């Protein structure tokens, strides 16, 4: 069975949610967001002490400084990873004449960002780890290919050195959809720092959360000034706040991509405790592996392993079944025991909209 089909039979117990399942009494939920304990105190400060609940306030500034120091490159806080992806496409000025390559096995936001700009999407295959297949990318490249969007599924990655080299050889911009990958590394280098631009998620289902939220990592300095403009509805408000202009006005396209300072206040506590949160997830992942590894043959399934050269952030633990029925039976059985284990994405090339982007891949 080929890789994308195999990944469609994947079950992700407890650590990440994409599909709602009815809960039974005393159920183990699919996802329980990390809660450190000081989040409400910091939100109270934002509301009462600072009296600043819109974006670009003290907590926004703290989170951006933290992330910029962590990634050693400018990072802008935004309302979601979806919006970070949309900003990335706007910064690249892509249009209907341009082709982009992305994995079929991903969440719809990855594709929507390009579809909104009428780009031609070319779906690529994934490997046995759920990561973008570089061989499939090579087959999809044409003279019209302007960007590749790699998805770091489960907080892991493909061979980023090879992918970067491939993109450079063809003068293709590389975007990282690092929604699930905060704190994860490939060959000792943080995921989110390999491409020209990268996007993080702080959604409730992610390791580090603000309920809703995201960030745009800007590894290529040429995009920074315009990114500020796009985030502020297409205005030069950033230059105005720095005293570089005497008033701010509409200078470009853009939208309202600014995260509120209340969300940033919540996020600030999570970021300060990121090592603690990731360590706990590591312990949970290792425990799942220890308990379930001996049962793989009985389940007729396999654990989705961590690829070589990856330091995981343990975003999710997954089982891959060899046929849909066994997966469905497992989900029902676990639900009866009070454990929610939904399956993950429907591959986009099989979706109603995705079928409008034909591909010559076998998938």
């Amino acid at each position: 069975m080929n890789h994308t089909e195999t990944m469609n039979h994947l079950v992700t117990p407890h650590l990440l949610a994409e599909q709602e399942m009815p809960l039974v009494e005393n159920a183990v939920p699919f996802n329980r967001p990390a809660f450190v304990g000081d989040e409400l105190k910091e939100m109270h400060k934002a509301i009462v002490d600072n009296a600043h609940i819109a974006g670009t306030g003290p907590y926004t500034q703290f989170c951006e400084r933290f992330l910029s120091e962590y990634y050693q490159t400018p990072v802008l806080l935004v309302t979601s990873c979806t919006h970070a992806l949309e900003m990335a496409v706007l910064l690249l000025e892509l249009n209907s004449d341009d082709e982009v390559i992305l994995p079929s096995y991903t969440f719809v936001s990855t594709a929507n960002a390009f579809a909104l700009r009428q780009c031609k999407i070319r779906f690529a295959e994934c490997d046995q780890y759920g990561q973008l297949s570089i061989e499939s990318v090579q087959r999809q490249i044409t003279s019209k290919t302007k960007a590749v969007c790699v998805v770091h599924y489960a907080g892991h990655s493909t061979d980023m050195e090879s992918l970067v080299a491939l993109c450079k050889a063809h003068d293709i911009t590389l975007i990282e959809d690092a929604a699930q990958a905060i704190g994860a590394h490939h060959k000792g280098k943080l995921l989110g720092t390999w491409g020209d631009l990268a996007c993080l998620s702080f959604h409730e289902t992610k390791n580090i959360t603000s309920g809703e939220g995201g960030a745009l990592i800007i590894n290529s300095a040429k995009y920074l000034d315009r990114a500020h403009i796009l985030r502020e509805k297409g205005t030069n408000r950033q230059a105005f706040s720095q005293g570089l202009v005497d008033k701010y006005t509409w200078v470009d396209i853009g939208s309202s991509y600014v995260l509120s300072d209340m969300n940033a206040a919540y996020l600030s506590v999570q970021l300060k405790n990121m090592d603690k949160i990731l360590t706990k997830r590591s312990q949970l992942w290792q425990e799942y592996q220890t308990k379930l590894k001996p049962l793989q043959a009985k389940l007729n399934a396999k654990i989705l392993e961590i690829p070589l050269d990856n330091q995981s952030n343990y975003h999710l633990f997954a089982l891959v079944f060899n046929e849909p029925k066994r997966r469905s039976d497992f989900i029902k059985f676990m639900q009866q025991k009070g454990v929610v284990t939904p399956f993950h994405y429907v591959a986009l090339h099989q979706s109603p909209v995705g079928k409008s982007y034909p591909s010559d891949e076998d998938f």
Side-chain angles (χ1 to χ4, degrees):
M1 183 175 293
N2 60 53
H3 294 140
T4 301
E5 286 182 345
T6 301
M7 297 301 291
N8 283 340
H9 309 329
L10 176 149
V11 176
T12 51
H14 179 59
L15 295 184
L16 177 74
E18 296 295 348
Q19 175 190 346
E20 293 183 1
M21 296 286 288
L23 296 178
V24 299
E25 188 177 356
N26 299 320
V28 176
F30 186 70
N31 173 74
R32 183 179 290 115
F35 185 75
V36 176
D38 291 335
E39 288 89 345
L40 296 179
K41 180 178 72 174
E42 298 303 327
M43 292 180 73
H44 183 273
K45 286 183 181 179
I47 298 166
V48 178
D49 298 345
N50 298 343
H52 188 119
I53 58 176
T56 64
Y59 284 105
T60 301
Q61 294 169 26
F62 169 84
C63 291
E64 289 185 341
R65 285 196 305 271
F66 182 100
L67 291 166
S68 296
E69 291 174 6
Y70 184 73
Y71 285 99
Q72 292 294 293
T73 193
V75 179
L76 298 184
L77 217 57
V78 295
T79 39
S80 66
C81 186
T82 299
H83 282 162
L85 287 162
E86 291 177 17
M87 286 180 64
V89 178
L90 289 172
L91 288 168
L92 268 55
E93 298 184 316
L94 300 180
N95 57 49
S96 59
D97 295 326
D98 300 324
E99 294 181 359
V100 297
I101 301 171
L102 53 92
S104 173
Y105 190 72
T106 184
F107 188 55
V108 65
S109 291
T110 314
N112 258 337
F114 298 98
L116 284 168
R117 306 307 297 173
Q118 288 79 51
C119 302
K120 181 179 179 182
I121 295 171
R122 298 180 67 89
F123 290 121
E125 178 65 288
C126 67
D127 62 19
Q128 70 267 31
Y129 302 106
Q131 306 304 321
L132 180 64
S133 163
I134 296 175
E135 292 77 14
S136 182
V137 172
Q138 288 177 310
R139 292 192 293 269
Q140 299 297 325
I141 292 175
T142 73
S143 60
K144 293 184 177 181
T145 305
K146 293 297 188 294
V148 170
C149 186
V150 59
V151 177
H152 301 315
Y153 180 70
H156 309 145
S157 77
T158 189
D159 181 352
M160 292 303 295
E161 285 186 339
S162 297
L163 182 59
V164 169
L166 178 64
C167 289
K168 286 183 176 179
H170 292 273
D171 194 25
I172 294 170
T173 302
L174 178 60
I175 300 172
E176 295 176 75
D177 183 339
Q180 302 178 0
I182 190 169
H185 297 71
H186 175 70
K187 293 186 176 180
K189 183 178 171 69
L190 275 166
L191 297 181
T193 62
W194 292 83
D196 299 273
L197 297 162
C199 307
L200 298 174
S201 175
F202 301 120
H203 185 266
E204 178 188 80
T205 57
K206 302 305 185 287
N207 294 20
I208 305 299
T209 181
S210 55
E212 297 280 357
L216 179 66
I217 302 173
I218 303 172
N219 297 313
S220 182
K222 65 182 180 181
Y223 297 120
L224 181 58
D225 290 343
R226 189 163 182 246
H228 281 289
I229 291 170
L230 296 180
R231 185 176 67 160
E232 285 284 3
K233 301 91 175 168
T235 72
N236 58 350
R237 184 175 180 178
Q238 173 75 6
F240 173 72
S241 66
Q242 294 175 343
L244 302 177
V245 295
D246 61 354
K247 57 183 178 295
Y248 74 91
T249 187
W250 186 17
V251 297
D252 201 344
I253 59 173
S255 191
S256 184
Y257 294 130
V258 180
L259 187 71
S260 81
D261 229 42
M262 287 188 295
N263 291 86
Y266 194 104
L267 179 63
S268 69
V269 178
Q270 298 261 310
L271 290 175
K272 286 185 281 189
N273 288 275
M274 181 159 60
D275 289 345
K276 177 182 176 182
I277 292 170
L278 297 187
T279 297
K280 178 63 176 178
R281 296 185 76 93
S282 170
Q283 293 168 350
L284 288 170
W285 198 98
Q286 298 296 341
E287 186 171 354
Y288 278 128
Q289 185 185 50
T290 298
K291 298 290 178 61
L292 287 172
K293 199 167 187 176
L295 300 176
Q296 290 179 103
K298 183 177 181 180
L299 291 170
N300 207 2
K302 66 177 181 178
I303 294 171
L304 186 69
E305 299 290 349
I306 299 171
L308 293 175
D309 299 319
N310 273 255
Q311 179 183 333
S312 182
N313 67 352
Y314 303 97
H315 177 59
L316 61 82
F317 187 98
L319 297 175
V320 184
F321 290 79
N322 70 339
E323 58 183 85
K325 184 179 185 304
R326 295 191 70 90
R327 178 197 64 188
S328 298
D329 289 346
F330 179 82
I331 290 173
K332 291 178 182 177
F333 175 81
M334 294 297 284
Q335 187 176 0
Q336 291 169 358
K337 301 297 183 180
V339 181
V340 182
T341 57
F343 66 84
H344 224 179
Y345 316 126
V346 173
L348 293 182
H349 75 276
Q350 297 175 331
S351 68
V353 176
K355 289 177 181 178
S356 66
Y357 300 101
S359 174
D360 53 7
E361 286 291 283
D362 289 334
F363 295 108

